[in-house]
Amino acid sequence: MAIRRVSSLEELDLPNKYIYQGNNGYIYNFKDKYFKVLDEEYMSLDNRKNQGRLDILGKLSELENTKYLVLPEDIYVTDSKILGYTMMICPGKEFIYLDDNVSYDKLVLGIINLLFDIEILSNKGLLHLDICSSNIFFDGVNLYLLDFDGTISFDDKRKAYLLMGMSLINLCIGKIMDSDRLEWFKDIDIDYMWEKMNRLESSNYIGLLWLIKLKMSRALGKDVETLGDIRRVLRR
């Protein structure tokens, strides 16, 4: 991908209306891509932090062998500003609410795939600081992480992976339960694994998710198939 120099944002002839408001800016349709226009405070290249931001966006645009990271592609700049960047149009919709009929196993597979890509990101010494519902898209099978302009360099690659993995799993467990109250599980084994993960002492994220399925299946009296099965157990 490339850094593309233009005279101004107006030269790009973006639509009048944005489609999403992300952190640090707004996302527009742009040809067959998304285009994120950064907020004014993140544009000026007189600011050392924004110079670093441009460098990291460049590194991200060159990252290879990922499938579920919606990375910056072309980065648009003027002589004095970072205007924004393009990225692929992401399938699915924001990870706000998951219906009861979502398959538990398919969701876990989507999490596994995204964790592989997050490991590639951390191995490059990069840390995504904002893994949240609005920055994850879900198409019913796959999870996609986007909004990378707040990514920072992070020398401790193992800790970077643990921080991002913890954020992703906590987010997903909240969506699975349709609640942030993990104590609903009331299970010493789940609590032990979850606490180790949050202390950054374990990356056994998938083990935790399969343990949740095992415990909920026992309580249900049959194999958990959907998120609705788990929610019915928790709400008894």
Side-chain angles (χ1 to χ4, degrees), residues 20-35:
Y20 297 109
Q21 181 175 0
N23 291 330
N24 308 337
Y26 295 85
I27 297 173
Y28 296 80
N29 282 315
F30 181 65
K31 301 176 183 177
D32 59 346
K33 303 285 184 182
Y34 287 149
F35 188 100

Side-chain angles (χ1 to χ4, degrees), residues 155-211:
D155 291 337
D156 189 334
K157 297 175 182 179
R158 172 65 175 166
K159 189 173 183 181
Y161 178 69
L162 290 171
L163 286 166
M164 290 187 284
M166 174 191 69
S167 297
L168 176 63
I169 297 303
N170 278 330
L171 175 64
C172 290
I173 288 176
K175 299 304 176 187
I176 287 167
M177 296 189 304
D178 193 23
S179 169
D180 294 324
R181 292 169 49 201
L182 191 67
E183 67 269 16
W184 276 22
F185 287 124
K186 298 177 183 176
D187 184 274
I188 190 171
D189 298 320
I190 292 173
D191 286 347
Y192 174 75
M193 290 187 71
W194 182 69
E195 287 170 6
K196 286 196 70 175
M197 179 189 75
N198 282 308
R199 291 197 301 265
L200 305 183
E201 296 172 0
S202 172
S203 59
N204 190 12
Y205 309 122
I206 305 309
L208 174 59
L209 292 171
W210 289 134
L211 179 64

Side-chain angles (χ1 to χ4, degrees), residues 104 209-219 222 224:
Y104 188 88
L209 292 171
W210 289 134
L211 179 64
I212 289 171
K213 179 179 179 179
L214 174 64
K215 298 281 186 170
M216 295 298 101
S217 294
R218 287 177 179 173
K222 67 181 186 72
V224 161

Side-chain angles (χ1 to χ4, degrees), residues 25-221:
Y26 295 85
I27 297 173
Y28 296 80
N29 282 315
F30 181 65
K31 301 176 183 177
D32 59 346
K33 303 285 184 182
Y34 287 149
F35 188 100
K36 181 167 184 181
V37 177
L38 296 178
D39 288 337
E40 189 69 32
E41 65 185 289
Y42 302 109
M43 286 186 176
S44 175
L45 289 171
D46 291 332
N47 183 306
R48 184 175 295 178
K49 286 186 178 179
N50 292 340
Q51 293 172 11
R53 189 186 312 278
L54 178 58
D55 181 55
I56 289 172
L57 288 171
K59 290 178 181 177
L60 287 164
S61 72
E62 296 171 353
L63 198 62
E64 296 180 337
N65 301 317
T66 67
K67 189 174 179 180
Y68 305 102
L69 305 182
V70 185
L71 296 167
E73 295 183 352
D74 291 330
I75 304 158
Y76 286 76
V77 302
T78 66
D79 290 340
S80 60
K81 292 182 177 181
I82 318 169
L83 300 178
Y85 58 89
T86 60
M87 52 186 160
M88 75 172 191
I89 292 179
C90 189
K93 58 185 179 179
E94 289 178 287
F95 198 56
I96 302 298
Y97 175 75
L98 297 181
D99 293 331
D100 282 354
N101 62 1
V102 170
S103 164
Y104 188 88
D105 289 357
K106 286 183 179 179
L107 178 59
V108 171
L109 180 59
I111 294 168
I112 290 170
N113 289 333
L114 182 52
L115 283 169
F116 279 131
D117 280 6
I118 285 174
E119 187 170 20
I120 293 171
L121 184 67
S122 64
N123 285 339
K124 293 294 185 180
L126 297 170
L127 172 63
H128 191 300
L129 289 175
D130 195 19
I131 296 177
C132 62
S133 296
S134 59
N135 289 339
I136 300 278
F137 273 42
F138 181 58
D139 66 3
V141 178
N142 300 305
L143 294 170
Y144 299 87
L145 177 61
L146 60 155
D147 220 3
F148 280 84
D149 46 87
T151 301
I152 63 170
S153 294
F154 202 83
D155 291 337
D156 189 334
K157 297 175 182 179
R158 172 65 175 166
K159 189 173 183 181
Y161 178 69
L162 290 171
L163 286 166
M164 290 187 284
M166 174 191 69
S167 297
L168 176 63
I169 297 303
N170 278 330
L171 175 64
C172 290
I173 288 176
K175 299 304 176 187
I176 287 167
M177 296 189 304
D178 193 23
S179 169
D180 294 324
R181 292 169 49 201
L182 191 67
E183 67 269 16
W184 276 22
F185 287 124
K186 298 177 183 176
D187 184 274
I188 190 171
D189 298 320
I190 292 173
D191 286 347
Y192 174 75
M193 290 187 71
W194 182 69
E195 287 170 6
K196 286 196 70 175
M197 179 189 75
N198 282 308
R199 291 197 301 265
L200 305 183
E201 296 172 0
S202 172
S203 59
N204 190 12
Y205 309 122
I206 305 309
L208 174 59
L209 292 171
W210 289 134
L211 179 64
I212 289 171
K213 179 179 179 179
L214 174 64
K215 298 281 186 170
M216 295 298 101
S217 294
R218 287 177 179 173
L220 190 64

